[in-house]
Amino acid sequence: MVIGPRVWKTGLAVTITLWIAELFSLEYPYLAVIATIISLQPTITDSLKKGWERIQATAIGVIIALAIMFVLESTPIFVGIAVILTILICLRYGWTESITLASVTVVIIMAGSRDDTFGYALQRSTVLPFVGIIIAVAINLLFSPPQYLEMVKKSLRDLNEGIELLMMRVINSFLTCENYSPEHIQQLVDKIYVLYEDAKEKFNMYQNERGYKKYFNGKKAAELSNLERVLEIMWLIAQRVIDIQNVTDERCGRISKIENPSTQYNDLLNSVQEFLFQTTALEKNLIENYLEPNENRKDIIERQIEEITTLRESLRERINDWQESHLGPTHIRSLIEIATLVYDLDQICNLLFKLKELQDK
């Protein structure tokens, strides 16, 4: 079991909330504790948003409870009606996570003493939730604040490694069809989807924490926009690799391995493998240079782009030579498969060049 920051921060927040409630002799301190636990969100922005949401929901509950108490009675049936109305209003405004706190407040007000009802209601609806919310936000700010930019960087690196591994396995399998394992390849594909969702989640948290759409502009907004574009390009590359995997699955299901490959095919095989090595190396350097700019790496990237451009032309020539020696209906499926492979590799190359252009802006 790993005790992460959010775990121990929740325990610390609860302790401080109870201590303050005891220090100021606040009744029903568990209302403040509930507000603290719910308001301790993954990001500080979320803590503020959820905290304000809970204050509004609780205030609605107080108003409904007082209205029914003064107009009708505090009998069990009317307490139930008050809770139902409170829940309906919370649902109407999307305050689903605040339903518990608001409903508990309604029950305490209506089932408690009628003496000084307004004073008690005011304390429970404002002071107690405010105490919990302020403590939750303060704990998030002061103790181990979430470093979402670093989390985004790590998730992008993990996604890139997953794409690189899948690309190497898939294309090598496409070319040789030897020891092809659909189950293993599918596991790699599934992992790509998991890594992509994780990267999106981390980016959304970072975006939410910065709140750039509302509070930032200029360079800071462009920085987040570029980061989002990098993630989008990586996912497009992954989709191309998955497209190659689908063709590979059909191809290797048709033939167990390439029998007696021709000289042209061996030349094509060598060119594709070299192209594969160069593109995966370029992608890794581009991602690393975007996350941690380095002048030496920039020079390497420039050389890699020149080599890939030359290699791409050479690959096209070798494909044409191979196609000329394999014309006819018996090779039509192989021609289509090779054409698909080359098209997807070409698109991957174009996406990498876009990634380079994004860094040069």
Side-chain angles (χ1 to χ4, degrees), residues 3 5 7 20 22 61 64 106 127 132-133 174 188 198 209 245 249 261 264 272 288 309 315 331 343 346 350 359-360:
I3 301 178
V7 175
I20 290 178
E22 181 179 344
I64 291 174
V106 169
V127 176
I133 293 161
F174 180 97
L188 295 178
D198 179 68
E209 190 72 344
Q245 183 267 334
D249 195 45
Q264 292 90 344
V272 172
E288 285 298 328
T309 302
L315 179 59
H331 299 290
Y343 174 77
D346 207 44
N350 291 336
Q359 294 184 22
D360 291 338

PDB file of all heavy atoms in Angstrom, residues 3 5 7 20 22 61 64 106 127 132-133 174 188 198 209 245 249 261 264 272 288 309 315 331 343 346 350 359-360:
ATOM      1  N   ILE A   3       1.012   5.296   0.494  1.00  0.00           N
ATOM      2  CA  ILE A   3       0.302   6.453   1.054  1.00  0.00           C
ATOM      3  C   ILE A   3       0.700   7.675   0.232  1.00  0.00           C
ATOM      4  O   ILE A   3       1.757   8.264   0.436  1.00  0.00           O
ATOM      5  CB  ILE A   3       0.643   6.645   2.536  1.00  0.00           C
ATOM      6  CG1 ILE A   3       0.266   5.397   3.330  1.00  0.00           C
ATOM      7  CG2 ILE A   3      -0.085   7.868   3.101  1.00  0.00           C
ATOM      8  CD1 ILE A   3       0.618   5.468   4.790  1.00  0.00           C
ATOM      9  N   PRO A   5       0.154  11.625  -1.518  1.00  0.00           N
ATOM     10  CA  PRO A   5      -0.071  12.943  -0.909  1.00  0.00           C
ATOM     11  C   PRO A   5      -1.532  13.205  -0.560  1.00  0.00           C
ATOM     12  O   PRO A   5      -1.826  13.763   0.498  1.00  0.00           O
ATOM     13  CB  PRO A   5       0.419  13.913  -1.987  1.00  0.00           C
ATOM     14  CG  PRO A   5       1.411  13.124  -2.782  1.00  0.00           C
ATOM     15  CD  PRO A   5       0.899  11.726  -2.780  1.00  0.00           C
ATOM     16  N   VAL A   7      -3.805  11.133   0.272  1.00  0.00           N
ATOM     17  CA  VAL A   7      -4.240  10.326   1.419  1.00  0.00           C
ATOM     18  C   VAL A   7      -3.863  11.009   2.719  1.00  0.00           C
ATOM     19  O   VAL A   7      -4.720  11.248   3.588  1.00  0.00           O
ATOM     20  CB  VAL A   7      -3.622   8.912   1.342  1.00  0.00           C
ATOM     21  CG1 VAL A   7      -3.979   8.116   2.597  1.00  0.00           C
ATOM     22  CG2 VAL A   7      -4.097   8.181   0.097  1.00  0.00           C
ATOM     23  N   ILE A  20     -10.043  22.873  15.070  1.00  0.00           N
ATOM     24  CA  ILE A  20     -10.599  24.234  15.000  1.00  0.00           C
ATOM     25  C   ILE A  20     -12.045  24.260  15.499  1.00  0.00           C
ATOM     26  O   ILE A  20     -12.461  25.185  16.210  1.00  0.00           O
ATOM     27  CB  ILE A  20     -10.514  24.764  13.548  1.00  0.00           C
ATOM     28  CG1 ILE A  20      -9.060  25.037  13.187  1.00  0.00           C
ATOM     29  CG2 ILE A  20     -11.361  26.022  13.374  1.00  0.00           C
ATOM     30  CD1 ILE A  20      -8.845  25.510  11.771  1.00  0.00           C
ATOM     31  N   GLU A  22     -13.337  22.325  17.693  1.00  0.00           N
ATOM     32  CA  GLU A  22     -13.287  22.205  19.159  1.00  0.00           C
ATOM     33  C   GLU A  22     -12.817  23.515  19.784  1.00  0.00           C
ATOM     34  O   GLU A  22     -13.333  23.944  20.824  1.00  0.00           O
ATOM     35  CB  GLU A  22     -12.341  21.069  19.540  1.00  0.00           C
ATOM     36  CG  GLU A  22     -12.242  20.838  21.041  1.00  0.00           C
ATOM     37  CD  GLU A  22     -11.312  19.685  21.378  1.00  0.00           C
ATOM     38  OE1 GLU A  22     -10.996  18.880  20.469  1.00  0.00           O
ATOM     39  OE2 GLU A  22     -10.882  19.591  22.552  1.00  0.00           O
ATOM     40  N   GLY A  61     -30.431  24.105   0.907  1.00  0.00           N
ATOM     41  CA  GLY A  61     -31.013  23.190   1.896  1.00  0.00           C
ATOM     42  C   GLY A  61     -31.523  23.926   3.122  1.00  0.00           C
ATOM     43  O   GLY A  61     -32.611  23.618   3.651  1.00  0.00           O
ATOM     44  N   ILE A  64     -34.794  25.839   2.249  1.00  0.00           N
ATOM     45  CA  ILE A  64     -35.933  24.908   2.151  1.00  0.00           C
ATOM     46  C   ILE A  64     -36.349  24.436   3.534  1.00  0.00           C
ATOM     47  O   ILE A  64     -37.550  24.384   3.863  1.00  0.00           O
ATOM     48  CB  ILE A  64     -35.560  23.711   1.250  1.00  0.00           C
ATOM     49  CG1 ILE A  64     -35.426  24.175  -0.200  1.00  0.00           C
ATOM     50  CG2 ILE A  64     -36.617  22.609   1.359  1.00  0.00           C
ATOM     51  CD1 ILE A  64     -34.918  23.112  -1.134  1.00  0.00           C
ATOM     52  N   VAL A 106     -30.155  19.752   6.109  1.00  0.00           N
ATOM     53  CA  VAL A 106     -31.623  19.847   6.209  1.00  0.00           C
ATOM     54  C   VAL A 106     -32.134  19.028   7.385  1.00  0.00           C
ATOM     55  O   VAL A 106     -32.967  19.485   8.179  1.00  0.00           O
ATOM     56  CB  VAL A 106     -32.273  19.367   4.891  1.00  0.00           C
ATOM     57  CG1 VAL A 106     -33.780  19.199   5.071  1.00  0.00           C
ATOM     58  CG2 VAL A 106     -32.002  20.365   3.775  1.00  0.00           C
ATOM     59  N   VAL A 127     -20.719  28.926   8.329  1.00  0.00           N
ATOM     60  CA  VAL A 127     -19.473  28.804   9.093  1.00  0.00           C
ATOM     61  C   VAL A 127     -18.844  27.425   8.921  1.00  0.00           C
ATOM     62  O   VAL A 127     -17.659  27.307   8.569  1.00  0.00           O
ATOM     63  CB  VAL A 127     -19.723  29.093  10.583  1.00  0.00           C
ATOM     64  CG1 VAL A 127     -18.430  28.863  11.374  1.00  0.00           C
ATOM     65  CG2 VAL A 127     -20.210  30.519  10.775  1.00  0.00           C
ATOM     66  N   GLY A 132     -14.450  24.021   6.578  1.00  0.00           N
ATOM     67  CA  GLY A 132     -13.951  22.839   5.875  1.00  0.00           C
ATOM     68  C   GLY A 132     -13.317  23.183   4.539  1.00  0.00           C
ATOM     69  O   GLY A 132     -12.256  22.657   4.194  1.00  0.00           O
ATOM     70  N   ILE A 133     -13.959  24.072   3.777  1.00  0.00           N
ATOM     71  CA  ILE A 133     -13.462  24.435   2.448  1.00  0.00           C
ATOM     72  C   ILE A 133     -12.136  25.181   2.544  1.00  0.00           C
ATOM     73  O   ILE A 133     -11.191  24.899   1.802  1.00  0.00           O
ATOM     74  CB  ILE A 133     -14.510  25.284   1.708  1.00  0.00           C
ATOM     75  CG1 ILE A 133     -15.739  24.423   1.395  1.00  0.00           C
ATOM     76  CG2 ILE A 133     -13.941  25.882   0.439  1.00  0.00           C
ATOM     77  CD1 ILE A 133     -16.975  25.227   1.103  1.00  0.00           C
ATOM     78  N   PHE A 174       4.925  -7.285 -39.682  1.00  0.00           N
ATOM     79  CA  PHE A 174       4.379  -7.097 -41.029  1.00  0.00           C
ATOM     80  C   PHE A 174       5.367  -7.592 -42.082  1.00  0.00           C
ATOM     81  O   PHE A 174       4.994  -8.246 -43.064  1.00  0.00           O
ATOM     82  CB  PHE A 174       4.073  -5.616 -41.262  1.00  0.00           C
ATOM     83  CG  PHE A 174       3.518  -5.305 -42.619  1.00  0.00           C
ATOM     84  CD1 PHE A 174       2.163  -5.169 -42.819  1.00  0.00           C
ATOM     85  CD2 PHE A 174       4.365  -5.148 -43.723  1.00  0.00           C
ATOM     86  CE1 PHE A 174       1.636  -4.877 -44.071  1.00  0.00           C
ATOM     87  CE2 PHE A 174       3.859  -4.865 -44.977  1.00  0.00           C
ATOM     88  CZ  PHE A 174       2.492  -4.736 -45.156  1.00  0.00           C
ATOM     89  N   LEU A 188      -0.354  -4.694 -26.366  1.00  0.00           N
ATOM     90  CA  LEU A 188       0.365  -3.438 -26.576  1.00  0.00           C
ATOM     91  C   LEU A 188      -0.581  -2.333 -27.046  1.00  0.00           C
ATOM     92  O   LEU A 188      -0.461  -1.179 -26.627  1.00  0.00           O
ATOM     93  CB  LEU A 188       1.488  -3.636 -27.593  1.00  0.00           C
ATOM     94  CG  LEU A 188       2.624  -4.581 -27.187  1.00  0.00           C
ATOM     95  CD1 LEU A 188       3.635  -4.717 -28.323  1.00  0.00           C
ATOM     96  CD2 LEU A 188       3.324  -4.090 -25.922  1.00  0.00           C
ATOM     97  N   ASP A 198      -4.642   8.267 -19.767  1.00  0.00           N
ATOM     98  CA  ASP A 198      -3.931   8.802 -18.606  1.00  0.00           C
ATOM     99  C   ASP A 198      -3.309  10.155 -18.936  1.00  0.00           C
ATOM    100  O   ASP A 198      -3.380  11.095 -18.127  1.00  0.00           O
ATOM    101  CB  ASP A 198      -2.839   7.820 -18.171  1.00  0.00           C
ATOM    102  CG  ASP A 198      -2.047   8.334 -16.982  1.00  0.00           C
ATOM    103  OD1 ASP A 198      -2.616   8.425 -15.878  1.00  0.00           O
ATOM    104  OD2 ASP A 198      -0.857   8.668 -17.152  1.00  0.00           O
ATOM    105  N   GLU A 209      -5.999  23.415 -13.521  1.00  0.00           N
ATOM    106  CA  GLU A 209      -5.272  24.097 -12.455  1.00  0.00           C
ATOM    107  C   GLU A 209      -4.807  25.482 -12.896  1.00  0.00           C
ATOM    108  O   GLU A 209      -4.851  26.439 -12.137  1.00  0.00           O
ATOM    109  CB  GLU A 209      -4.055  23.252 -12.043  1.00  0.00           C
ATOM    110  CG  GLU A 209      -3.352  23.734 -10.797  1.00  0.00           C
ATOM    111  CD  GLU A 209      -4.135  23.469  -9.535  1.00  0.00           C
ATOM    112  OE1 GLU A 209      -5.343  23.185  -9.588  1.00  0.00           O
ATOM    113  OE2 GLU A 209      -3.538  23.568  -8.473  1.00  0.00           O
ATOM    114  N   GLN A 245      -1.201  -2.224 -37.652  1.00  0.00           N
ATOM    115  CA  GLN A 245      -1.423  -3.467 -36.905  1.00  0.00           C
ATOM    116  C   GLN A 245      -2.606  -4.251 -37.455  1.00  0.00           C
ATOM    117  O   GLN A 245      -2.562  -5.480 -37.557  1.00  0.00           O
ATOM    118  CB  GLN A 245      -1.648  -3.128 -35.423  1.00  0.00           C
ATOM    119  CG  GLN A 245      -1.822  -4.351 -34.527  1.00  0.00           C
ATOM    120  CD  GLN A 245      -3.274  -4.738 -34.331  1.00  0.00           C
ATOM    121  OE1 GLN A 245      -4.153  -3.886 -34.431  1.00  0.00           O
ATOM    122  NE2 GLN A 245      -3.522  -6.004 -34.068  1.00  0.00           N
ATOM    123  N   ASP A 249      -2.319  -7.975 -38.942  1.00  0.00           N
ATOM    124  CA  ASP A 249      -3.111  -9.096 -38.426  1.00  0.00           C
ATOM    125  C   ASP A 249      -3.697  -9.912 -39.583  1.00  0.00           C
ATOM    126  O   ASP A 249      -3.655 -11.148 -39.578  1.00  0.00           O
ATOM    127  CB  ASP A 249      -4.228  -8.555 -37.535  1.00  0.00           C
ATOM    128  CG  ASP A 249      -4.851  -9.642 -36.677  1.00  0.00           C
ATOM    129  OD1 ASP A 249      -4.101 -10.439 -36.093  1.00  0.00           O
ATOM    130  OD2 ASP A 249      -6.083  -9.686 -36.603  1.00  0.00           O
ATOM    131  N   PRO A 261      12.175 -14.773 -50.012  1.00  0.00           N
ATOM    132  CA  PRO A 261      12.004 -13.387 -50.456  1.00  0.00           C
ATOM    133  C   PRO A 261      12.974 -13.036 -51.578  1.00  0.00           C
ATOM    134  O   PRO A 261      14.127 -13.481 -51.584  1.00  0.00           O
ATOM    135  CB  PRO A 261      12.298 -12.576 -49.195  1.00  0.00           C
ATOM    136  CG  PRO A 261      13.142 -13.463 -48.339  1.00  0.00           C
ATOM    137  CD  PRO A 261      12.661 -14.849 -48.627  1.00  0.00           C
ATOM    138  N   GLN A 264      14.601  -7.806 -54.431  1.00  0.00           N
ATOM    139  CA  GLN A 264      13.882  -6.545 -54.300  1.00  0.00           C
ATOM    140  C   GLN A 264      13.189  -6.444 -52.944  1.00  0.00           C
ATOM    141  O   GLN A 264      13.160  -5.382 -52.319  1.00  0.00           O
ATOM    142  CB  GLN A 264      12.847  -6.396 -55.422  1.00  0.00           C
ATOM    143  CG  GLN A 264      13.437  -6.221 -56.806  1.00  0.00           C
ATOM    144  CD  GLN A 264      13.636  -7.564 -57.501  1.00  0.00           C
ATOM    145  OE1 GLN A 264      13.610  -8.618 -56.841  1.00  0.00           O
ATOM    146  NE2 GLN A 264      13.843  -7.525 -58.814  1.00  0.00           N
ATOM    147  N   VAL A 272      12.743  -0.304 -45.089  1.00  0.00           N
ATOM    148  CA  VAL A 272      11.660  -0.057 -44.133  1.00  0.00           C
ATOM    149  C   VAL A 272      12.173  -0.133 -42.703  1.00  0.00           C
ATOM    150  O   VAL A 272      11.811   0.688 -41.845  1.00  0.00           O
ATOM    151  CB  VAL A 272      10.510  -1.056 -44.360  1.00  0.00           C
ATOM    152  CG1 VAL A 272       9.474  -0.939 -43.238  1.00  0.00           C
ATOM    153  CG2 VAL A 272       9.837  -0.811 -45.692  1.00  0.00           C
ATOM    154  N   GLU A 288      11.363  14.621 -26.278  1.00  0.00           N
ATOM    155  CA  GLU A 288      12.279  15.015 -25.209  1.00  0.00           C
ATOM    156  C   GLU A 288      12.686  16.478 -25.349  1.00  0.00           C
ATOM    157  O   GLU A 288      12.787  17.198 -24.364  1.00  0.00           O
ATOM    158  CB  GLU A 288      13.522  14.123 -25.223  1.00  0.00           C
ATOM    159  CG  GLU A 288      13.297  12.733 -24.671  1.00  0.00           C
ATOM    160  CD  GLU A 288      12.878  12.753 -23.205  1.00  0.00           C
ATOM    161  OE1 GLU A 288      13.317  13.671 -22.471  1.00  0.00           O
ATOM    162  OE2 GLU A 288      12.116  11.868 -22.796  1.00  0.00           O
ATOM    163  N   THR A 309      14.282  12.329 -44.753  1.00  0.00           N
ATOM    164  CA  THR A 309      13.802  12.825 -46.047  1.00  0.00           C
ATOM    165  C   THR A 309      14.461  12.068 -47.193  1.00  0.00           C
ATOM    166  O   THR A 309      13.795  11.661 -48.157  1.00  0.00           O
ATOM    167  CB  THR A 309      14.088  14.330 -46.172  1.00  0.00           C
ATOM    168  OG1 THR A 309      13.451  15.022 -45.091  1.00  0.00           O
ATOM    169  CG2 THR A 309      13.546  14.865 -47.484  1.00  0.00           C
ATOM    170  N   LEU A 315      13.157   4.775 -50.154  1.00  0.00           N
ATOM    171  CA  LEU A 315      12.152   3.746 -49.882  1.00  0.00           C
ATOM    172  C   LEU A 315      11.114   3.681 -50.990  1.00  0.00           C
ATOM    173  O   LEU A 315      10.700   2.594 -51.416  1.00  0.00           O
ATOM    174  CB  LEU A 315      11.481   4.046 -48.535  1.00  0.00           C
ATOM    175  CG  LEU A 315      10.371   3.098 -48.079  1.00  0.00           C
ATOM    176  CD1 LEU A 315      10.884   1.671 -47.965  1.00  0.00           C
ATOM    177  CD2 LEU A 315       9.795   3.563 -46.742  1.00  0.00           C
ATOM    178  N   HIS A 331      -0.382 -11.417 -56.760  1.00  0.00           N
ATOM    179  CA  HIS A 331       0.321 -10.553 -55.793  1.00  0.00           C
ATOM    180  C   HIS A 331      -0.488  -9.316 -55.422  1.00  0.00           C
ATOM    181  O   HIS A 331       0.037  -8.425 -54.762  1.00  0.00           O
ATOM    182  CB  HIS A 331       1.671 -10.119 -56.371  1.00  0.00           C
ATOM    183  CG  HIS A 331       2.606 -11.242 -56.664  1.00  0.00           C
ATOM    184  ND1 HIS A 331       3.204 -11.994 -55.686  1.00  0.00           N
ATOM    185  CD2 HIS A 331       3.032 -11.760 -57.850  1.00  0.00           C
ATOM    186  CE1 HIS A 331       3.979 -12.913 -56.235  1.00  0.00           C
ATOM    187  NE2 HIS A 331       3.879 -12.802 -57.553  1.00  0.00           N
ATOM    188  N   TYR A 343       1.896   4.118 -46.984  1.00  0.00           N
ATOM    189  CA  TYR A 343       1.066   5.302 -46.785  1.00  0.00           C
ATOM    190  C   TYR A 343       1.063   5.711 -45.310  1.00  0.00           C
ATOM    191  O   TYR A 343       1.237   6.898 -44.977  1.00  0.00           O
ATOM    192  CB  TYR A 343      -0.360   5.036 -47.261  1.00  0.00           C
ATOM    193  CG  TYR A 343      -1.309   6.175 -46.963  1.00  0.00           C
ATOM    194  CD1 TYR A 343      -1.295   7.330 -47.743  1.00  0.00           C
ATOM    195  CD2 TYR A 343      -2.196   6.110 -45.887  1.00  0.00           C
ATOM    196  CE1 TYR A 343      -2.153   8.386 -47.471  1.00  0.00           C
ATOM    197  CE2 TYR A 343      -3.048   7.162 -45.606  1.00  0.00           C
ATOM    198  CZ  TYR A 343      -3.024   8.293 -46.401  1.00  0.00           C
ATOM    199  OH  TYR A 343      -3.865   9.342 -46.116  1.00  0.00           O
ATOM    200  N   ASP A 346       4.372   7.093 -44.282  1.00  0.00           N
ATOM    201  CA  ASP A 346       4.503   8.431 -44.840  1.00  0.00           C
ATOM    202  C   ASP A 346       3.746   9.451 -43.988  1.00  0.00           C
ATOM    203  O   ASP A 346       4.239  10.552 -43.720  1.00  0.00           O
ATOM    204  CB  ASP A 346       3.965   8.442 -46.274  1.00  0.00           C
ATOM    205  CG  ASP A 346       4.604   9.514 -47.125  1.00  0.00           C
ATOM    206  OD1 ASP A 346       5.837   9.653 -47.049  1.00  0.00           O
ATOM    207  OD2 ASP A 346       3.870  10.219 -47.850  1.00  0.00           O
ATOM    208  N   ASN A 350       5.084  12.709 -41.807  1.00  0.00           N
ATOM    209  CA  ASN A 350       4.509  14.060 -41.906  1.00  0.00           C
ATOM    210  C   ASN A 350       4.107  14.604 -40.543  1.00  0.00           C
ATOM    211  O   ASN A 350       4.265  15.796 -40.254  1.00  0.00           O
ATOM    212  CB  ASN A 350       3.305  14.053 -42.837  1.00  0.00           C
ATOM    213  CG  ASN A 350       3.687  13.824 -44.294  1.00  0.00           C
ATOM    214  OD1 ASN A 350       4.811  14.106 -44.697  1.00  0.00           O
ATOM    215  ND2 ASN A 350       2.763  13.293 -45.079  1.00  0.00           N
ATOM    216  N   GLN A 359       7.590  23.024 -32.514  1.00  0.00           N
ATOM    217  CA  GLN A 359       8.674  23.402 -31.615  1.00  0.00           C
ATOM    218  C   GLN A 359       9.411  24.634 -32.109  1.00  0.00           C
ATOM    219  O   GLN A 359       9.985  25.382 -31.310  1.00  0.00           O
ATOM    220  CB  GLN A 359       9.658  22.245 -31.457  1.00  0.00           C
ATOM    221  CG  GLN A 359       9.061  21.042 -30.767  1.00  0.00           C
ATOM    222  CD  GLN A 359      10.079  19.944 -30.528  1.00  0.00           C
ATOM    223  OE1 GLN A 359      11.267  20.187 -30.501  1.00  0.00           O
ATOM    224  NE2 GLN A 359       9.610  18.731 -30.342  1.00  0.00           N
ATOM    225  N   ASP A 360       9.402  24.859 -33.416  1.00  0.00           N
ATOM    226  CA  ASP A 360      10.135  25.999 -33.973  1.00  0.00           C
ATOM    227  C   ASP A 360       9.381  27.313 -33.831  1.00  0.00           C
ATOM    228  O   ASP A 360       9.947  28.376 -34.078  1.00  0.00           O
ATOM    229  CB  ASP A 360      10.416  25.747 -35.464  1.00  0.00           C
ATOM    230  CG  ASP A 360      11.422  24.611 -35.661  1.00  0.00           C
ATOM    231  OD1 ASP A 360      12.171  24.320 -34.724  1.00  0.00           O
ATOM    232  OD2 ASP A 360      11.440  24.030 -36.771  1.00  0.00           O
TER     233      ASP A 360
END
